[in-house]
Amino acid sequence: MTRVAAVDCGTNSIRLLVADADPTTGELVDLDRRMTIVRLGQGVDRTGRLAPEALQRTFAACREYAGIIKEHGAERLRFVATSASRDAENRDEFVRGVLDILGVEPEVISGDQEAEFSFTGATKELAGGDHLPEPYLVVDIGGGSTEFVVGDDQVRAARSVDIGCVRMTERHLVRDGVVSDPPSEEQVAAMRADIEAALDLAEETVPLREARTLVGLAGSVTTVSAIAQELPEYDPAAIHHSRVSRTRVREITEWLLRSTHAERAAVPSMHPGRVDVIAAGALVLLSIMERIGAEEVVVSEHDILDGIAWSVA
């Protein structure tokens, strides 16, 4: 067993996994798994730069994670940064800050690399199962981008497109600096058109409709599952490998798009940092399911973070 640490810094959240990995058995045993909403991508779509306050929130989380990694005595650490830091003009400032705190340089990976990590993390434990037919379509709905990967025991095709929940919210649902509560029909229609255009791009290189099992990753998808199950609190064990029908996803999405901030915040399984962006994330999921005709989505708590950990092990 090798004790490894993996950090995934995305547009909306930064996450840590410390685990013991056994490559011979394919077993990854969690020692500590946590997530902090830092909204690193705040305003990036508009300004092209990482905001000072967003950097400070991220660095504060890194300092907390540094203590946890040291406490567990991880032998290896890999820090991967995704969409927001890929797009920002001042990403060097981000890189220097992380290096000072954690002693490793964040790898600002490409969308294709991100997709491969997500696929490995989500499907490694599904291999050989006869209840989920291949090929899989793994969809990772992040804050700034969504990754599409089709494969079976290996990746066949992958594409990253810019339709994350934060980016869609900031682009379509914000007026005068405030998230519309709830959005107008025109705003929702514009967001839907943007998502459909991105799906057209994804289909140019990824055969989305060939997939026989849709696997959904990341906070927007897991939160939809928690709402569908009416969980009294966020419960990863209940969410992992749960299945949500397209009809239920549509009902939840329509409710989120017509609800107020207070109504969404009152959902017991809703993380406070997702209240303003969950409607956009749910609409991305619904649009994908409608595009490929998926009757259900299999929800996975294992994703890019697990893929990063395996790459270290």
Side-chain angles (χ1 to χ4, degrees):
M1 300 283 272
T2 303
R3 183 157 295 182
V4 298
V7 177
D8 166 37
C9 185
T11 302
N12 194 45
S13 63
I14 183 169
R15 299 182 303 142
L16 169 69
L17 171 61
V18 181
D20 285 332
D22 186 346
T24 60
T25 64
E27 186 180 18
L28 195 67
V29 179
D30 289 13
L31 300 174
D32 199 309
R33 185 187 291 259
R34 63 183 63 201
M35 182 268 290
T36 309
I37 300 284
V38 293
R39 199 67 65 84
L40 179 62
Q42 173 191 333
V44 167
D45 194 54
R46 177 175 51 84
T47 67
R49 296 180 62 82
L50 298 169
E53 59 271 29
L55 285 169
Q56 291 310 308
R57 291 192 298 266
T58 303
F59 294 154
C62 286
R63 283 188 283 272
E64 177 190 353
Y65 289 0
I68 296 164
I69 292 166
K70 183 178 180 180
E71 178 186 337
H72 284 291
E75 301 167 43
R76 304 174 189 171
L77 165 64
R78 190 171 190 178
F79 187 117
V80 166
T82 52
S83 181
S85 49
R86 208 166 41 226
D87 301 338
E89 294 172 7
N90 60 332
R91 70 183 191 182
D92 287 349
E93 185 179 349
F94 165 71
V95 170
R96 286 195 303 272
V98 172
L99 183 58
D100 287 345
I101 296 166
L102 286 167
V104 296
E105 188 169 316
E107 299 173 57
V108 182
I109 61 174
S110 69
D112 286 344
Q113 288 174 299
E114 191 174 346
E116 290 203 22
F117 282 144
S118 295
F119 186 84
T120 300
T123 64
K124 195 170 184 71
E125 64 187 348
L126 301 179
D130 57 4
H131 61 296
L132 292 175
E134 299 174 349
Y136 309 116
L137 169 60
V138 173
V139 175
D140 187 343
I141 303 174
S145 62
T146 293
E147 281 64 56
F148 297 86
V149 198
V150 166
D152 31 52
D153 57 339
Q154 61 185 11
V155 173
R156 292 188 191 174
R159 182 74 180 263
S160 177
V161 293
D162 289 339
I163 51 169
C165 60
V166 174
R167 194 185 298 269
M168 289 296 95
T169 299
E170 292 188 348
R171 185 178 291 175
H172 297 289
L173 305 186
V174 174
R175 291 291 180 270
D176 301 320
V178 178
V179 177
S180 299
D181 193 23
S184 66
E185 290 184 8
E186 291 75 17
Q187 286 175 300
V188 174
M191 181 166 60
R192 183 68 181 251
D194 205 358
I195 294 168
E196 293 296 335
L199 292 179
D200 290 340
L201 282 177
E203 280 203 289
E204 289 178 2
T205 51
V206 180
L208 303 181
R209 301 170 207 247
E210 290 183 11
R212 297 182 63 201
T213 297
L214 173 64
V215 183
L217 316 182
S220 293
V221 181
T222 58
T223 300
V224 167
S225 173
I227 295 171
Q229 297 182 65
E230 300 181 359
L231 297 179
E233 60 184 8
Y234 192 93
D235 181 354
I239 292 167
H240 188 48
H241 288 176
S242 61
R243 303 184 187 197
V244 188
S245 70
R246 186 171 72 225
T247 298
R248 192 74 179 105
V249 171
R250 182 180 295 110
E251 291 170 352
I252 291 167
T253 302
E254 290 174 351
W255 178 79
L256 290 168
L257 286 167
R258 65 174 183 266
S259 64
T260 64
H261 181 279
E263 288 170 335
R264 294 189 299 277
V267 175
S269 57
M270 181 80 68
H271 190 289
R274 296 204 185 279
V275 174
D276 286 334
V277 299
I278 183 59
L283 184 59
V284 172
L285 174 60
L286 176 62
S287 301
I288 293 166
M289 296 182 77
E290 291 179 342
R291 171 68 67 105
I292 70 172
E295 292 298 328
E296 66 176 14
V297 58
V298 178
V299 182
S300 178
E301 282 279 344
H302 294 179
D303 50 27
I304 185 174
L305 195 58
D306 301 75
I308 297 166
W310 278 118
S311 76
V312 181

